[in-house]
PDB file of all heavy atoms in Angstrom:
ATOM      1  N   SER A  17      29.562 -35.787  42.987  1.00 89.00           N
ATOM      2  CA  SER A  17      30.210 -36.897  42.321  1.00 89.00           C
ATOM      3  C   SER A  17      30.729 -36.494  40.930  1.00 89.00           C
ATOM      4  O   SER A  17      29.995 -35.867  40.094  1.00 89.00           O
ATOM      5  CB  SER A  17      29.182 -38.032  42.174  1.00 89.00           C
ATOM      6  OG  SER A  17      29.682 -39.062  41.469  1.00 89.00           O
ATOM      7  N   LYS A  21      37.151 -33.825  42.290  1.00 96.00           N
ATOM      8  CA  LYS A  21      37.809 -33.708  43.608  1.00 96.00           C
ATOM      9  C   LYS A  21      39.106 -34.530  43.713  1.00 96.00           C
ATOM     10  O   LYS A  21      40.127 -33.994  44.200  1.00 96.00           O
ATOM     11  CB  LYS A  21      36.825 -34.114  44.749  1.00 96.00           C
ATOM     12  CG  LYS A  21      35.558 -33.359  44.798  1.00 96.00           C
ATOM     13  CD  LYS A  21      34.625 -33.794  45.899  1.00 96.00           C
ATOM     14  CE  LYS A  21      34.185 -35.239  45.753  1.00 96.00           C
ATOM     15  NZ  LYS A  21      33.329 -35.477  44.565  1.00 96.00           N
ATOM     16  N   ASP A  38      41.387 -38.985  50.771  1.00 98.00           N
ATOM     17  CA  ASP A  38      40.128 -39.243  49.947  1.00 98.00           C
ATOM     18  C   ASP A  38      39.112 -39.861  50.940  1.00 98.00           C
ATOM     19  O   ASP A  38      39.121 -41.069  51.180  1.00 98.00           O
ATOM     20  CB  ASP A  38      40.477 -40.177  48.815  1.00 98.00           C
ATOM     21  CG  ASP A  38      39.265 -40.551  47.947  1.00 98.00           C
ATOM     22  OD1 ASP A  38      38.143 -40.168  48.332  1.00 98.00           O
ATOM     23  OD2 ASP A  38      39.444 -41.251  46.927  1.00 98.00           O
ATOM     24  N   THR A  39      38.217 -39.017  51.423  1.00 98.00           N
ATOM     25  CA  THR A  39      37.265 -39.579  52.466  1.00 98.00           C
ATOM     26  C   THR A  39      36.188 -40.441  51.750  1.00 98.00           C
ATOM     27  O   THR A  39      35.612 -41.317  52.392  1.00 98.00           O
ATOM     28  CB  THR A  39      36.569 -38.471  53.241  1.00 98.00           C
ATOM     29  OG1 THR A  39      35.845 -37.606  52.366  1.00 98.00           O
ATOM     30  CG2 THR A  39      37.566 -37.655  54.018  1.00 98.00           C
ATOM     31  N   GLY A  40      35.972 -40.223  50.464  1.00 97.00           N
ATOM     32  CA  GLY A  40      35.067 -41.138  49.755  1.00 97.00           C
ATOM     33  C   GLY A  40      35.624 -42.572  49.730  1.00 97.00           C
ATOM     34  O   GLY A  40      34.885 -43.511  49.846  1.00 97.00           O
ATOM     35  N   ALA A  41      36.953 -42.672  49.650  1.00 98.00           N
ATOM     36  CA  ALA A  41      37.533 -44.038  49.691  1.00 98.00           C
ATOM     37  C   ALA A  41      37.248 -44.714  51.045  1.00 98.00           C
ATOM     38  O   ALA A  41      37.092 -45.897  51.174  1.00 98.00           O
ATOM     39  CB  ALA A  41      39.038 -43.975  49.412  1.00 98.00           C
ATOM     40  N   TYR A  43      34.542 -44.155  52.983  1.00 98.00           N
ATOM     41  CA  TYR A  43      33.181 -44.661  52.982  1.00 98.00           C
ATOM     42  C   TYR A  43      33.031 -45.890  52.097  1.00 98.00           C
ATOM     43  O   TYR A  43      32.325 -46.799  52.421  1.00 98.00           O
ATOM     44  CB  TYR A  43      32.223 -43.542  52.551  1.00 98.00           C
ATOM     45  CG  TYR A  43      31.982 -42.489  53.700  1.00 98.00           C
ATOM     46  CD1 TYR A  43      32.702 -41.337  53.706  1.00 98.00           C
ATOM     47  CD2 TYR A  43      31.091 -42.747  54.686  1.00 98.00           C
ATOM     48  CE1 TYR A  43      32.588 -40.442  54.743  1.00 98.00           C
ATOM     49  CE2 TYR A  43      30.910 -41.862  55.728  1.00 98.00           C
ATOM     50  CZ  TYR A  43      31.667 -40.690  55.788  1.00 98.00           C
ATOM     51  OH  TYR A  43      31.499 -39.826  56.804  1.00 98.00           O
ATOM     52  N   ARG A  44      33.794 -45.851  51.009  1.00 98.00           N
ATOM     53  CA  ARG A  44      33.704 -47.060  50.102  1.00 98.00           C
ATOM     54  C   ARG A  44      34.298 -48.269  50.761  1.00 98.00           C
ATOM     55  O   ARG A  44      33.727 -49.367  50.591  1.00 98.00           O
ATOM     56  CB  ARG A  44      34.443 -46.743  48.802  1.00 98.00           C
ATOM     57  CG  ARG A  44      33.723 -45.756  47.918  1.00 98.00           C
ATOM     58  CD  ARG A  44      34.554 -45.310  46.752  1.00 98.00           C
ATOM     59  NE  ARG A  44      33.835 -44.391  45.884  1.00 98.00           N
ATOM     60  CZ  ARG A  44      33.028 -44.812  44.874  1.00 98.00           C
ATOM     61  NH1 ARG A  44      32.896 -46.068  44.622  1.00 98.00           N
ATOM     62  NH2 ARG A  44      32.354 -43.883  44.158  1.00 98.00           N
ATOM     63  N   VAL A 103      27.174 -47.487  48.498  1.00 95.00           N
ATOM     64  CA  VAL A 103      27.959 -46.621  49.429  1.00 95.00           C
ATOM     65  C   VAL A 103      27.088 -45.485  50.006  1.00 95.00           C
ATOM     66  O   VAL A 103      27.259 -45.108  51.183  1.00 95.00           O
ATOM     67  CB  VAL A 103      29.225 -46.113  48.751  1.00 95.00           C
ATOM     68  CG1 VAL A 103      28.881 -45.201  47.534  1.00 95.00           C
ATOM     69  CG2 VAL A 103      30.108 -45.398  49.700  1.00 95.00           C
ATOM     70  N   SER A 104      26.132 -44.978  49.254  1.00 93.00           N
ATOM     71  CA  SER A 104      25.318 -43.894  49.841  1.00 93.00           C
ATOM     72  C   SER A 104      24.491 -44.416  51.042  1.00 93.00           C
ATOM     73  O   SER A 104      24.380 -43.662  52.026  1.00 93.00           O
ATOM     74  CB  SER A 104      24.393 -43.290  48.768  1.00 93.00           C
ATOM     75  OG  SER A 104      25.159 -42.764  47.727  1.00 93.00           O
ATOM     76  N   SER A 107      26.853 -44.863  53.978  1.00 96.00           N
ATOM     77  CA  SER A 107      27.259 -43.504  54.395  1.00 96.00           C
ATOM     78  C   SER A 107      26.181 -42.834  55.250  1.00 96.00           C
ATOM     79  O   SER A 107      26.461 -41.891  55.958  1.00 96.00           O
ATOM     80  CB  SER A 107      27.627 -42.623  53.239  1.00 96.00           C
ATOM     81  OG  SER A 107      28.537 -43.253  52.389  1.00 96.00           O
ATOM     82  N   ARG A 113      29.135 -42.688  60.091  1.00 98.00           N
ATOM     83  CA  ARG A 113      29.691 -41.353  59.866  1.00 98.00           C
ATOM     84  C   ARG A 113      30.505 -40.893  61.038  1.00 98.00           C
ATOM     85  O   ARG A 113      31.616 -40.364  60.941  1.00 98.00           O
ATOM     86  CB  ARG A 113      28.599 -40.349  59.619  1.00 98.00           C
ATOM     87  CG  ARG A 113      27.794 -40.550  58.422  1.00 98.00           C
ATOM     88  CD  ARG A 113      27.061 -39.321  57.952  1.00 98.00           C
ATOM     89  NE  ARG A 113      27.976 -38.422  57.278  1.00 98.00           N
ATOM     90  CZ  ARG A 113      28.416 -38.605  55.979  1.00 98.00           C
ATOM     91  NH1 ARG A 113      28.099 -39.655  55.300  1.00 98.00           N
ATOM     92  NH2 ARG A 113      29.247 -37.731  55.491  1.00 98.00           N
ATOM     93  N   GLU A 134      39.417 -34.356  50.680  1.00 98.00           N
ATOM     94  CA  GLU A 134      38.280 -34.212  49.776  1.00 98.00           C
ATOM     95  C   GLU A 134      37.084 -35.073  50.192  1.00 98.00           C
ATOM     96  O   GLU A 134      37.309 -36.159  50.747  1.00 98.00           O
ATOM     97  CB  GLU A 134      38.708 -34.596  48.324  1.00 98.00           C
ATOM     98  CG  GLU A 134      39.377 -35.930  48.277  1.00 98.00           C
ATOM     99  CD  GLU A 134      39.038 -36.765  47.057  1.00 98.00           C
ATOM    100  OE1 GLU A 134      37.871 -36.783  46.639  1.00 98.00           O
ATOM    101  OE2 GLU A 134      39.950 -37.373  46.538  1.00 98.00           O
ATOM    102  N   GLY A 135      35.889 -34.579  49.918  1.00 97.00           N
ATOM    103  CA  GLY A 135      34.710 -35.331  50.245  1.00 97.00           C
ATOM    104  C   GLY A 135      33.440 -34.553  49.972  1.00 97.00           C
ATOM    105  O   GLY A 135      33.317 -33.858  49.007  1.00 97.00           O
ATOM    106  N   ARG A 136      32.511 -34.707  50.933  1.00 96.00           N
ATOM    107  CA  ARG A 136      31.204 -34.059  50.740  1.00 96.00           C
ATOM    108  C   ARG A 136      30.898 -33.079  51.931  1.00 96.00           C
ATOM    109  O   ARG A 136      30.110 -32.164  51.803  1.00 96.00           O
ATOM    110  CB  ARG A 136      30.025 -35.079  50.743  1.00 96.00           C
ATOM    111  CG  ARG A 136      30.159 -36.094  49.687  1.00 96.00           C
ATOM    112  CD  ARG A 136      29.838 -35.560  48.294  1.00 96.00           C
ATOM    113  NE  ARG A 136      29.683 -36.633  47.271  1.00 96.00           N
ATOM    114  CZ  ARG A 136      30.628 -37.403  46.826  1.00 96.00           C
ATOM    115  NH1 ARG A 136      31.874 -37.276  47.294  1.00 96.00           N
ATOM    116  NH2 ARG A 136      30.390 -38.289  45.911  1.00 96.00           N
ATOM    117  N   ASP A 137      31.549 -33.372  53.065  1.00 97.00           N
ATOM    118  CA  ASP A 137      31.151 -32.626  54.302  1.00 97.00           C
ATOM    119  C   ASP A 137      32.429 -32.128  55.005  1.00 97.00           C
ATOM    120  O   ASP A 137      32.419 -31.909  56.221  1.00 97.00           O
ATOM    121  CB  ASP A 137      30.369 -33.555  55.249  1.00 97.00           C
ATOM    122  CG  ASP A 137      31.195 -34.754  55.651  1.00 97.00           C
ATOM    123  OD1 ASP A 137      32.251 -35.102  55.025  1.00 97.00           O
ATOM    124  OD2 ASP A 137      30.783 -35.493  56.635  1.00 97.00           O
ATOM    125  N   ILE A 138      33.533 -31.974  54.268  1.00 98.00           N
ATOM    126  CA  ILE A 138      34.765 -31.610  54.933  1.00 98.00           C
ATOM    127  C   ILE A 138      34.706 -30.136  55.452  1.00 98.00           C
ATOM    128  O   ILE A 138      35.064 -29.963  56.650  1.00 98.00           O
ATOM    129  CB  ILE A 138      35.999 -31.790  53.914  1.00 98.00           C
ATOM    130  CG1 ILE A 138      35.924 -33.204  53.283  1.00 98.00           C
ATOM    131  CG2 ILE A 138      37.294 -31.597  54.702  1.00 98.00           C
ATOM    132  CD1 ILE A 138      35.854 -34.347  54.220  1.00 98.00           C
ATOM    133  N   ARG A 181      23.264 -40.885  42.545  1.00 88.00           N
ATOM    134  CA  ARG A 181      24.144 -40.761  43.741  1.00 88.00           C
ATOM    135  C   ARG A 181      24.091 -39.346  44.385  1.00 88.00           C
ATOM    136  O   ARG A 181      24.079 -39.193  45.572  1.00 88.00           O
ATOM    137  CB  ARG A 181      25.563 -41.143  43.372  1.00 88.00           C
ATOM    138  CG  ARG A 181      26.362 -41.544  44.579  1.00 88.00           C
ATOM    139  CD  ARG A 181      27.252 -42.739  44.275  1.00 88.00           C
ATOM    140  NE  ARG A 181      28.185 -42.399  43.227  1.00 88.00           N
ATOM    141  CZ  ARG A 181      29.395 -41.859  43.468  1.00 88.00           C
ATOM    142  NH1 ARG A 181      29.798 -41.627  44.691  1.00 88.00           N
ATOM    143  NH2 ARG A 181      30.242 -41.640  42.469  1.00 88.00           N
ATOM    144  N   ASP A 185      23.125 -38.976  48.100  1.00 90.00           N
ATOM    145  CA  ASP A 185      24.052 -38.314  49.035  1.00 90.00           C
ATOM    146  C   ASP A 185      23.439 -37.104  49.702  1.00 90.00           C
ATOM    147  O   ASP A 185      23.810 -36.758  50.842  1.00 90.00           O
ATOM    148  CB  ASP A 185      25.327 -37.958  48.269  1.00 90.00           C
ATOM    149  CG  ASP A 185      26.135 -39.154  47.851  1.00 90.00           C
ATOM    150  OD1 ASP A 185      25.910 -40.266  48.429  1.00 90.00           O
ATOM    151  OD2 ASP A 185      27.047 -39.034  46.986  1.00 90.00           O
ATOM    152  N   THR A 189      24.531 -35.610  53.241  1.00 91.00           N
ATOM    153  CA  THR A 189      25.461 -34.480  53.178  1.00 91.00           C
ATOM    154  C   THR A 189      24.822 -33.406  52.218  1.00 91.00           C
ATOM    155  O   THR A 189      23.658 -33.536  51.860  1.00 91.00           O
ATOM    156  CB  THR A 189      26.858 -34.898  52.647  1.00 91.00           C
ATOM    157  OG1 THR A 189      26.666 -35.497  51.399  1.00 91.00           O
ATOM    158  CG2 THR A 189      27.569 -35.820  53.643  1.00 91.00           C
TER     159      THR A 189
HETATM  160  N1  LIG B   2      32.952 -36.975  53.078  1.00 69.03           N
HETATM  161  C1  LIG B   2      32.208 -37.864  52.429  1.00 69.03           C
HETATM  162  C2  LIG B   2      32.760 -38.544  51.324  1.00 69.03           C
HETATM  163  C3  LIG B   2      31.980 -39.517  50.698  1.00 69.03           C
HETATM  164  N2  LIG B   2      30.773 -39.779  51.135  1.00 69.03           N
HETATM  165  C4  LIG B   2      29.969 -40.796  50.515  1.00 69.03           C
HETATM  166  C5  LIG B   2      29.008 -40.319  49.452  1.00 69.03           C
HETATM  167  C6  LIG B   2      29.579 -40.826  48.181  1.00 69.03           C
HETATM  168  O1  LIG B   2      28.557 -41.317  47.302  1.00 69.03           O
HETATM  169  C7  LIG B   2      30.491 -42.025  48.622  1.00 69.03           C
HETATM  170  C8  LIG B   2      31.701 -42.216  47.773  1.00 69.03           C
HETATM  171  O2  LIG B   2      32.361 -41.027  47.589  1.00 69.03           O
HETATM  172  P1  LIG B   2      33.296 -40.729  46.262  1.00 69.03           P
HETATM  173  O3  LIG B   2      34.317 -41.764  46.204  1.00 69.03           O
HETATM  174  O4  LIG B   2      32.334 -40.826  45.088  1.00 69.03           O
HETATM  175  O5  LIG B   2      33.826 -39.322  46.449  1.00 69.03           O
HETATM  176  O6  LIG B   2      30.842 -41.726  49.931  1.00 69.03           O
HETATM  177  C9  LIG B   2      30.259 -39.064  52.193  1.00 69.03           C
HETATM  178  O7  LIG B   2      29.084 -39.357  52.633  1.00 69.03           O
HETATM  179  N3  LIG B   2      30.959 -38.172  52.840  1.00 69.03           N
END
Side-chain angles (χ1 to χ4, degrees):
S17 177
K21 301 179 298 296
D38 177 355
T39 62
Y43 284 96
R44 287 172 179 274
V103 65
S104 300
S107 308
R113 298 201 75 76
E134 52 144 316
R136 304 286 192 291
D137 59 347
I138 309 306
R181 203 140 59 89
D185 291 344
T189 56

